[in-house]
Amino acid sequence: MKAYKNMSRDELLTLKESLEKEFKVEEAKGLSMNMARGKPGASQLVLSMPMLDCINSKSDMNTLLGNDTRNYGDLDGIGECRQLMADMMEVKKENVIVCGNSSLNIMYDTVSRSMTQGVNGSTPWCKLDKVKFLCPVPGYDRHFKITEFFGIEMINIPMNEDGPDMDLVEEYVNNDAAVKGIWCVPKYSNPTGISYSDEVVKRFANLKPKAEDFRIFWDNAYCIHHIYDDVQDEILNILDECEKAGNPDMVYIFASTSKVTFPGSGVSAIATSKENMKYIMKQMTVQTIGHDKINQLRHVRFFKDIDGLKVHMKKHGELLRPKFEAVLDILDSELAGLEIGSWIKPRGGYFISFDAMPGCAKSIVEKCKKLGVVLTGAGATYPYGNDPEDSNIRIAPSFPTPEEMVEATKIFVLCVKLAAVEKLLGQ
Amino acid sequence: MKAYKNMSRDELLTLKESLEKEFKVEEAKGLSMNMARGKPGASQLVLSMPMLDCINSKSDMNTLLGNDTRNYGDLDGIGECRQLMADMMEVKKENVIVCGNSSLNIMYDTVSRSMTQGVNGSTPWCKLDKVKFLCPVPGYDRHFKITEFFGIEMINIPMNEDGPDMDLVEEYVNNDAAVKGIWCVPKYSNPTGISYSDEVVKRFANLKPKAEDFRIFWDNAYCIHHIYDDVQDEILNILDECEKAGNPDMVYIFASTSKVTFPGSGVSAIATSKENMKYIMKQMTVQTIGHDKINQLRHVRFFKDIDGLKVHMKKHGELLRPKFEAVLDILDSELAGLEIGSWIKPRGGYFISFDAMPGCAKSIVEKCKKLGVVLTGAGATYPYGNDPEDSNIRIAPSFPTPEEMVEATKIFVLCVKLAAVEKLLGQ
C-alpha cells in the first residue's frame, strides 16, 4: 500500500477517477443504513424478551423486605435492585441509588441540581459568573449537550490511549476554581473505546481541586459491556480510590441497563459517597415519590444476581463481536498503510472511533449520507459540535446486521479514500 | 347535639373525663393504621394486575406506526399512548407529551427548567431577585415542596367551594410581575375535594398576567377519579379556554396513571400549547433519550382506549366509595351539631379535608398518633407547613380497608372531640 501523501498528482487524479466510478455504482444502489447511534441491534433486544415474563399477574410483587413494589415507597430503589446495580458498578449497595430508566437523566439532574442548589451547600452554579467543565475529546455528545444547555463553558482535554491528558486535567482542576466538573467514560470510552489506566484513575482520585464543589462525572456506561471473553478491560474503583485519597465526595458514578436489557426500559443508578447521597435524596424527595419499582423487580427476577448479568452480557458480546470485527477487518485491509486515517480496536463498548485526515470528517460523513449510510454528524464528539481538526468520526456498529456492517463499512472506506484524495488535491 | 362552645365549664370537664377514658381504652389496643398518604389500597392494585400480562416475551413490541418500543426513539411518547392520555386529559393528541412514571417529576422539571432557562425565552427565574407562586390553600404538600425547594416565595390564596378566591388571584397575577405561577388541582382538589366552577376556569383563562412568563400549573391528577356513577364533577377545558381568551401558552396541564394502574409504575403526561411544547422538547432532548415506551405500550394494550379506562376507573370508585362513606358517616353521626369541625363531601379524588376548631389540628394529629392512627402532618396542606389557623387536616381513606377506616375514623373523631374540649377549657 502506498501512502496517499506520497502519491504524485497524476496518481491521485487517476485514483480519484476510479473512486468516483465506484461512488456512482454505490449511489445507484440506493442503500439505507444507520451507524449513527449506539442502538442495540434487533438480535440483542431478543435476548431480554424473557425478562418480560418474569413479572405477570400471578407474580409475588413484594421485595425481599416485604415492600409492595406496586405502591409508593423505596425512593432509593428496592433493596435487591440496589444490590444488583452495586455489583454491576463494583461498589457497595449502601452507596447506590437506583433511579428511573435513564442514567443520562440522572446526570442531567445532577448538573441541574448543582445549578440551582449548589453542591452539598456550595453556592448554586447559576449564581456564579463562570462555570467550566473539562471535556475529554473525542467524547460523548450527550454529555456535552447537558453542559452546553446550562451555559457551562467546556474545555477540550485531549484523550490519550490510557485516558485523558492528566497533566492538563490537574492543571485546570487544581488551579481554576471555576472548573466544577469533568465528563468521563472511563471504560470502553465513548467513542474511543479505550479504558483508563490505573495510573489515570489514581491521578483522578488524587486531584486537589481549587473548587470545593468540583465533581468527577464518571459515566461507567459500559462497565460490563465486553466484546471478548478472553481480553477484557478492568478499571480501578474510583470511589475507593477517592476515599483513600481523602476525596470521598469527589465522584458521581453513573450506569444503567439501557444496553443490557432495553434502551428506554432499563434501570439506571448513581453511586457516590453517603454524604453526596444525602444531598441527592434531599432533592429527589422533592422531585418524585419514587421510580418504577416493578421494573426494578423485573430486572432482579430476570438476572437473579451479578452472575446472571455476566452470562447475559456474554451473549451481547457474541452478537456485537462480528459487527465490530467486520468494521475493523475492512478498515485494516482497505486503509492500512494509506496514512489517511487511524482507529483503535476496542475490547468493549459500542463504538469505533476513526480519525480521518484533518479536514476530512465532514466531507466523509456527507459522502456516506449520499450513499445511504448515516453516520454520527462530524464534530458531534466535540463540545459545541466543533472538532477543531475536522477529523473524528464515531462509528456505531451495533444496530445493523453483520452483513449490513460489511456493506456500510465498504462504503465508509470508499468515502474516506475519496475525501482524502480530494483534500490532497486541494479540492 | 349540643355545640361544645355552648357547654358550661362543668359540662366540658365531665365530657373531658369521659373522652379521656375512651382514649385510654383505645390506647391500650395498640392499633396501627395509616391515613397519611393518598396510596391506593391493596384491592385497587389487584385491578391492574392483568396489565402485567399484556406485554410478555411473545408480544408484538411495535407501535401502530411500526416503531420498536424496546429501542431508543419516540421522545414525546408512542403515538397510541399520547392518544390515550390526551383522551384522559380531554385535550388533543398533538398537545400531549407522554413522559415517565411521575407527573410530579414533570412539574418539578417544569419549575426547574424555568429557573435555569426561563420560560419560552424569558429571563431565567434564578436570575431574578424575587419569584412568587400563588398557592390555593389548603393544597397539595408536594406542590409546595417544589416551589419551596427552589426558593420561590409562596402566597396563600383561600379556597372557596368553587375554586380559589379569584379576586385575589387576579389582583396578584395582573399586578405583580414577580408572580410567575399558581398551583391548581382543578378537579376533586387535593385535599378539599371540590372542583373548579366554569366561572373560575374562565377567570383563570382570562387572566392578564403582568409577567409574560406567568404559567398556571394545572395538576389534573384526579381527572377521571370519580367515586360515584351518578354524580360526577366535570370541569371546563382550560387549554381551550386559554386559547379562546388569547392566552394559549398560559397553562401546563399534568396528569398520570399513578392512581389508575400502579403508583410508581404508571405513565405521566403534560398537555400544553404547541409553542410551550417546543421549549419543553428542547430541554427534554438534552435530559433523556426517551421514556419507558414498553410501559406506555403495556398501558395501551391493557386499556385499549378511553372507554376501557373509564370502565377501570368505575371499579376503583366502587372500592373507594365505602371507605369515603365510612369516614363521612361517622363524621356526620359523631360531629354534626358540635361545631368543632367541618368537612366537605367529595365526589371524587383521594381525600377528605377536615377543618377542626382553630388551634386544634396539631393536637388532633398528635393524639391520633398516640392511638396508632397516622395522619398527614398538621400544616402539611399549607406552604412551609404552616397553617396559620392550625385547623386543616387531610384524611386519606384509600389505603386501609373499609373496616379499618371505620376504626380509624372513630379514633379520629374521639381525638377531635378531646382536642376541642381541651381548647375550650384553655388547656
Side-chain angles (χ1 to χ4, degrees):
Chain A
M1 294 280 205
K2 189 171 181 178
Y4 278 21
K5 64 175 182 185
N6 299 331
M7 285 185 181
S8 70
R9 190 170 172 83
D10 277 353
E11 280 175 309
L12 286 170
L13 283 170
T14 311
L15 178 58
K16 185 173 175 234
E17 202 178 325
S18 107
L19 291 169
E20 278 171 344
K21 246 181 225 160
E22 271 189 71
F23 192 91
K24 275 188 185 135
V25 171
E26 294 298 333
E27 200 169 18
K29 288 184 185 165
L31 297 172
S32 172
M33 278 174 287
N34 195 314
M35 299 200 292
R37 309 285 337 167
K39 284 174 79 167
S43 57
Q44 290 177 270
L45 299 174
V46 167
L47 294 176
S48 299
M49 288 302 285
M51 184 176 79
L52 299 174
D53 297 330
C54 291
I55 299 289
N56 59 53
S57 62
K58 306 279 175 275
S59 297
D60 172 8
M61 301 300 287
N62 284 359
T63 66
L64 293 176
L65 284 177
N67 298 342
D68 192 336
T69 55
R70 299 170 303 175
N71 222 326
Y72 295 116
D74 278 324
L75 178 57
D76 52 2
I78 65 172
E80 47 266 57
C81 195
R82 289 178 68 196
Q83 185 64 61
L84 183 68
M85 293 306 284
D87 291 342
M88 174 172 149
M89 297 164 92
E90 298 178 324
V91 297
K92 294 194 203 83
K93 175 184 165 188
E94 56 260 37
N95 293 109
V96 171
I97 301 168
V98 178
C99 300
N101 72 326
S102 158
S103 56
L104 189 74
N105 204 330
I106 315 180
M107 294 176 226
Y108 175 97
D109 283 351
T110 303
V111 175
S112 183
R113 181 177 60 249
S114 307
M115 292 298 295
T116 58
Q117 317 296 321
V119 178
N120 300 17
S122 78
T123 305
W125 294 354
C126 72
K127 301 286 184 201
L128 302 174
D129 288 334
K130 179 69 89 182
V131 175
K132 301 176 190 170
F133 254 61
L134 305 184
C135 300
V137 287
Y140 181 33
D141 55 348
R142 288 186 181 271
H143 286 163
F144 305 153
K145 288 281 181 204
I146 291 176
T147 26
E148 183 176 1
F149 184 74
F150 287 107
I152 293 171
E153 185 184 318
M154 295 180 279
I155 297 163
N156 292 358
I157 302 289
M159 278 287 276
N160 298 326
E161 288 196 13
D162 64 344
D165 178 335
M166 290 308 295
D167 290 342
L168 210 51
V169 170
E170 286 165 354
E171 195 185 310
Y172 276 112
V173 174
N174 298 354
N175 296 298
D176 186 348
V179 172
K180 301 296 190 189
I182 181 168
W183 290 117
C184 295
V185 183
K187 195 166 173 178
Y188 303 133
S189 185
N190 178 350
T192 67
I194 68 103
S195 298
Y196 293 10
S197 69
D198 292 355
E199 195 206 329
V200 163
V201 176
K202 281 184 180 161
R203 286 179 74 176
F204 263 112
N206 283 280
L207 287 169
K208 303 274 169 266
K210 185 87 171 172
E212 51 159 14
D213 50 353
F214 169 83
R215 291 292 182 274
I216 302 166
F217 287 66
W218 197 257
D219 182 4
N220 207 353
Y222 308 107
C223 49
I224 54 171
H225 301 57
H226 312 286
I227 300 174
Y228 301 97
D229 281 346
D230 46 350
V231 277
Q232 298 187 341
D233 291 358
E234 296 303 336
I235 58 167
L236 271 189
N237 183 317
I238 183 78
L239 205 55
D240 286 352
E241 294 301 320
C242 280
E243 203 174 309
K244 277 189 226 165
N247 284 322
D249 303 328
M250 198 170 58
V251 65
Y252 301 121
I253 308 175
F254 308 94
S256 81
T257 68
S258 291
K259 291 182 180 83
V260 176
T261 55
F262 300 119
S265 302
V267 295
S268 65
I270 180 169
T272 192
S273 71
K274 291 249 177 102
E275 183 68 10
N276 287 344
M277 287 171 78
K278 209 173 71 188
Y279 285 91
I280 295 168
M281 292 302 292
K282 208 173 132 185
Q283 175 238 327
M284 208 176 268
T285 196
V286 175
Q287 184 179 28
T288 182
I289 312 183
H291 302 288
D292 186 341
K293 298 187 300 298
I294 294 182
N295 203 34
Q296 293 176 19
L297 190 66
R298 189 177 283 120
H299 276 71
V300 175
R301 295 269 168 92
F302 183 47
F303 291 119
K304 310 278 189 296
D305 55 26
I306 183 67
D307 293 329
L309 208 46
K310 284 180 179 168
V311 169
H312 186 77
M313 291 314 290
K314 203 175 148 172
K315 295 178 195 162
H316 275 288
E318 279 160 15
L319 291 169
L320 286 170
R321 201 183 312 133
K323 300 183 184 188
F324 275 78
E325 287 180 346
V327 178
L328 294 164
D329 286 352
I330 295 171
L331 294 180
D332 276 339
S333 64
E334 289 287 327
L335 297 180
L338 302 186
E339 297 184 31
I340 57 172
S342 60
W343 57 95
I344 296 168
K345 189 184 169 186
R347 290 189 282 265
Y350 262 67
F351 303 105
I352 294 166
S353 180
F354 184 86
D355 286 317
M357 256 175 57
C360 287
K362 275 185 195 150
S363 164
I364 293 167
V365 171
E366 202 178 299
K367 285 178 167 53
C368 280
K369 197 179 167 191
K370 273 190 193 153
L371 301 190
V373 174
V374 179
L375 293 165
T376 312
T381 53
Y382 280 74
Y384 312 107
N386 177 26
D387 174 0
E389 297 278 308
D390 185 27
S391 161
N392 187 254
I393 295 172
R394 187 181 80 164
I395 299 173
S398 55
F399 192 67
T401 63
E403 296 70 33
E404 286 171 330
M405 271 322 292
V406 169
E407 193 94 16
T409 309
K410 282 182 181 163
I411 283 168
F412 175 74
V413 161
L414 170 64
C415 296
V416 168
K417 288 177 181 173
L418 190 54
V421 170
E422 286 174 358
K423 185 79 191 172
L424 288 166
L425 285 168
Q427 292 174 331
Chain B
M1 293 281 203
K2 189 172 183 177
Y4 279 21
K5 63 175 184 187
N6 298 330
M7 285 186 181
S8 70
R9 189 169 172 83
D10 277 353
E11 281 177 307
L12 285 171
L13 283 169
T14 311
L15 178 58
K16 185 174 173 236
E17 203 177 326
S18 107
L19 291 169
E20 279 172 344
K21 246 183 226 161
E22 271 188 71
F23 193 90
K24 275 190 185 134
V25 172
E26 294 299 332
E27 199 169 18
K29 289 184 185 166
L31 298 172
S32 172
M33 279 173 289
N34 195 314
M35 301 200 293
R37 307 283 343 164
K39 283 172 78 167
S43 58
Q44 289 177 271
L45 299 174
V46 168
L47 295 177
S48 299
M49 288 302 285
M51 185 175 79
L52 299 174
D53 297 330
C54 291
I55 299 290
N56 59 52
S57 62
K58 306 277 175 276
S59 297
D60 171 9
M61 302 299 288
N62 284 359
T63 66
L64 293 175
L65 285 176
N67 299 341
D68 192 336
T69 56
R70 300 169 302 176
N71 222 326
Y72 295 116
D74 278 324
L75 177 58
D76 51 3
I78 65 172
E80 47 265 58
C81 195
R82 289 178 69 195
Q83 185 64 59
L84 183 69
M85 293 305 284
D87 291 342
M88 173 172 150
M89 298 164 91
E90 298 178 324
V91 297
K92 294 194 204 82
K93 175 184 164 187
E94 55 262 38
N95 292 109
V96 171
I97 302 168
V98 178
C99 301
N101 72 326
S102 158
S103 56
L104 189 74
N105 205 330
I106 314 181
M107 295 176 225
Y108 175 98
D109 283 351
T110 304
V111 175
S112 183
R113 181 178 59 248
S114 307
M115 292 298 294
T116 58
Q117 317 294 320
V119 178
N120 299 17
S122 77
T123 305
W125 294 354
C126 72
K127 301 287 185 199
L128 302 174
D129 289 335
K130 178 69 89 180
V131 175
K132 301 176 191 170
F133 254 61
L134 305 184
C135 300
V137 288
Y140 180 33
D141 56 348
R142 288 185 181 271
H143 287 163
F144 304 153
K145 288 282 180 202
I146 290 175
T147 25
E148 183 176 0
F149 184 74
F150 287 107
I152 293 171
E153 184 183 318
M154 294 180 281
I155 297 164
N156 292 357
I157 302 288
M159 278 288 277
N160 297 325
E161 288 195 16
D162 65 344
D165 179 335
M166 289 309 294
D167 290 341
L168 211 51
V169 169
E170 285 164 356
E171 194 184 310
Y172 276 113
V173 174
N174 298 354
N175 296 299
D176 186 348
V179 172
K180 302 295 189 190
I182 181 168
W183 290 117
C184 296
V185 184
K187 195 166 173 180
Y188 302 134
S189 186
N190 178 351
T192 69
I194 67 103
S195 298
Y196 292 11
S197 69
D198 291 355
E199 194 205 331
V200 163
V201 176
K202 280 184 181 159
R203 285 179 74 176
F204 263 113
N206 284 279
L207 286 169
K208 304 274 168 265
K210 185 88 170 171
E212 51 158 14
D213 50 353
F214 169 83
R215 291 292 182 274
I216 302 165
F217 286 67
W218 198 257
D219 183 4
N220 208 352
Y222 308 108
C223 49
I224 54 170
H225 301 58
H226 312 287
I227 300 173
Y228 300 97
D229 281 348
D230 45 350
V231 278
Q232 298 188 341
D233 292 356
E234 294 305 334
I235 58 168
L236 272 189
N237 184 317
I238 183 78
L239 205 55
D240 285 351
E241 294 301 320
C242 281
E243 203 173 310
K244 277 189 225 164
N247 285 322
D249 304 327
M250 198 171 58
V251 65
Y252 301 120
I253 308 175
F254 308 93
S256 81
T257 68
S258 291
K259 291 183 180 82
V260 176
T261 56
F262 300 118
S265 303
V267 295
S268 64
I270 179 169
T272 192
S273 70
K274 291 249 177 101
E275 183 66 11
N276 287 344
M277 287 173 79
K278 209 173 70 187
Y279 285 91
I280 295 168
M281 292 301 291
K282 209 173 131 185
Q283 174 237 327
M284 207 176 269
T285 197
V286 175
Q287 184 179 28
T288 182
I289 312 184
H291 302 289
D292 186 342
K293 298 186 301 297
I294 294 182
N295 202 34
Q296 293 176 19
L297 191 66
R298 189 177 284 121
H299 277 71
V300 174
R301 295 269 168 92
F302 183 48
F303 291 119
K304 308 278 189 296
D305 54 27
I306 183 67
D307 293 327
L309 208 46
K310 283 180 178 168
V311 169
H312 186 78
M313 292 314 290
K314 202 176 149 173
K315 295 177 195 163
H316 275 288
E318 279 159 16
L319 292 169
L320 286 170
R321 200 183 313 133
K323 299 183 184 188
F324 275 79
E325 287 179 345
V327 178
L328 292 164
D329 287 352
I330 295 171
L331 293 180
D332 276 340
S333 63
E334 291 286 326
L335 297 180
L338 303 186
E339 297 183 31
I340 57 172
S342 61
W343 57 95
I344 297 169
K345 189 184 169 186
R347 291 190 281 265
Y350 263 67
F351 303 104
I352 294 166
S353 180
F354 185 87
D355 285 318
M357 257 176 55
C360 286
K362 274 186 197 151
S363 165
I364 294 167
V365 170
E366 203 178 300
K367 284 179 168 53
C368 280
K369 196 179 167 190
K370 271 189 195 155
L371 302 189
V373 174
V374 179
L375 293 166
T376 312
T381 54
Y382 281 73
Y384 312 107
N386 176 27
D387 174 1
E389 297 277 306
D390 185 26
S391 162
N392 187 255
I393 295 173
R394 186 181 79 165
I395 299 173
S398 55
F399 192 67
T401 63
E403 296 70 33
E404 287 171 330
M405 270 322 293
V406 170
E407 193 94 17
T409 309
K410 282 182 181 163
I411 283 169
F412 175 73
V413 161
L414 170 63
C415 297
V416 168
K417 289 177 179 171
L418 191 52
V421 170
E422 286 174 359
K423 186 78 192 171
L424 288 165
L425 286 168
Q427 292 173 330

